[in-house]
Amino acid sequence: MAGLLSLLTESWQSGEALARRLGVSRAAVSKEARRLLSEGYPVEVSRQGYRILPGTPLPHLFHPRGRLGRPYRYLGRVGSTQDALRAWAEEGAPEGALVLAEVQERGRGRRGRPWASRPGASLTFSLLLRPSLPLPALGLLPLLAGLALVEAVGVGGLKWPNDLLAPDGRKLAGVLLEAKAEGEEVAYALLGVGVNVAWAPEGAAFLQEFTPLSRREVLEAFLLRLEGLLPLLETPEAFLARYQKASYTLGRPVRVRTAKGVVEGLAEAVFPDGSLLLGGVGVAAAEVELLPLIE
Ligand code: BTN
């Protein structure tokens, strides 16, 4: 049966009313609700009937305020939203297209690490951008996405290159940028974002420990911020001045693991290609560990 998901709202509706609207039996509604649950959609069932978990960005409840976030695909179970969006991009999806899934069976983080999430409690989505930029300029995009995230939620700060950390240093969100090149230019960029909103894996933090924002509110606020920040890719100095204010890394002693080994020093600056100036040495995107400040 198609359509139950598109009728659900944050208010309870009886099985009888839903069955009538869909022109099916109550038993068919119940069966479809069970199927949706098994696909990872956060449908709630009680004596009052059915509803979608409040804050879920169902297509008819999600209202992007700018041009990013449309067209929109809201999915249950996928491998990775990055792969779902890449396939859509290859079919010609426009800039702003967004794929959000409740369950990622192979969600990935940076450096080939897995990304854990929980249906109804995490935000896992990928946004398609088609910037007319030379490839090296793309290095700033994940930093810009991190800045959009911290400005959107008003909590925490950024660990270079693009993790959002809670004030106590636990990780709240991460950004993964994957891009396709056409010669020296960017054909498209897949900006993957994972936010722990109401749940976090062991050792990490979730946003609702600090703010009551729902998943839908975080997504809408992020997209609007990102749209406002994107023009700054053309003026890296202006962007970096703003990024610096939200950074937990700059001005701090850090340890970075690069392919060539471990570098320690004061994180002095970020270059226009997104790399970090560390104790007089430039390092490209790598793993940063914040070290205790020495008084
Ligand atoms: C990191 O901090 O390592 C980056 C995490 C990025 C995770 C997101 S979740 C949505 C998108 N799909 C994926 O498979 N990964 C990104």
Side-chain angles (χ1 to χ4, degrees):
M1 186 213 341
L4 177 59
L5 206 54
S6 63
L7 292 188
L8 293 181
T9 64
E10 296 182 353
S11 306
W12 295 103
Q13 297 178 71
S14 71
E16 197 180 335
L18 288 165
R20 206 176 318 117
R21 288 176 71 188
L22 288 163
V24 300
S25 67
R26 279 171 58 184
V29 169
S30 157
K31 189 171 164 213
E32 174 62 0
R34 282 198 303 276
R35 190 191 67 81
L36 290 172
L37 269 166
S38 73
E39 285 292 303
Y41 295 103
V43 174
E44 296 190 327
V45 185
S46 81
R47 288 220 310 269
Q48 293 157 275
Y50 302 85
R51 71 171 187 179
I52 195 74
L53 176 74
T56 300
L58 278 185
H60 59 284
L61 303 177
F62 164 59
H63 304 292
R65 278 165 282 169
R67 62 183 180 85
L68 302 180
R70 47 182 115 209
Y72 176 53
R73 286 187 180 167
Y74 170 71
L75 306 173
R77 192 178 299 275
V78 296
S80 157
T81 56
Q82 291 290 90
D83 299 332
L85 183 62
R86 174 179 289 120
W88 195 11
E90 291 291 334
E91 288 164 15
E95 163 146 307
L98 193 144
V99 173
L100 184 146
E102 292 291 356
V103 180
Q104 292 195 111
E105 282 173 338
R106 289 176 300 283
R108 56 181 179 266
R110 292 175 48 245
R111 322 200 125 228
R113 283 186 291 233
W115 182 259
S117 60
R118 180 171 282 186
S122 312
L123 253 187
T124 47
F125 64 90
S126 298
L127 172 71
L128 181 64
L129 295 171
R130 294 185 179 276
S132 36
L133 285 177
L135 272 179
L138 209 56
L140 278 191
L141 186 54
L143 281 70
L144 195 106
L147 183 61
L149 211 46
V150 68
E151 291 190 356
V153 300
V155 173
L158 298 170
K159 186 179 91 166
W160 181 86
N162 44 28
D163 286 350
L164 174 63
L165 301 187
D168 60 9
R170 288 175 301 150
K171 182 159 168 169
L172 285 166
V175 175
L176 174 70
L177 178 74
E178 296 173 332
K180 179 169 169 180
E182 227 149 54
E184 295 301 297
E185 297 276 309
V186 179
Y188 59 76
L190 309 168
L191 193 62
V193 181
V195 189
N196 306 325
V197 180
W199 169 87
E202 187 73 36
F206 58 93
L207 266 181
Q208 289 181 356
E209 293 177 57
F210 306 95
T211 164
L213 290 173
S214 73
R215 294 193 301 155
R216 181 167 38 76
E217 288 166 332
V218 172
L219 179 60
E220 289 173 358
F222 166 74
L223 292 171
L224 198 63
R225 279 284 170 171
L226 184 68
E227 185 172 338
L229 289 172
L230 276 175
L232 290 181
L233 283 179
E234 321 265 336
T235 53
E237 284 73 21
F239 164 68
L240 289 169
R242 195 152 155 186
Y243 175 83
Q244 188 153 5
K245 293 203 190 92
S247 174
Y248 278 177
T249 303
L250 292 173
R252 294 269 315 257
V254 297
R255 177 184 301 132
V256 170
R257 283 169 228 291
T258 70
K260 292 191 196 122
V262 174
V263 190
E264 274 187 24
L266 190 71
E268 291 165 63
V270 173
F271 290 117
D273 66 355
S275 61
L276 183 70
L277 179 62
L278 177 63
V281 183
V283 286
E287 226 26 72
V288 178
E289 196 180 314
L290 301 175
L291 298 175
L293 286 164
I294 297 154
E295 300 298 324

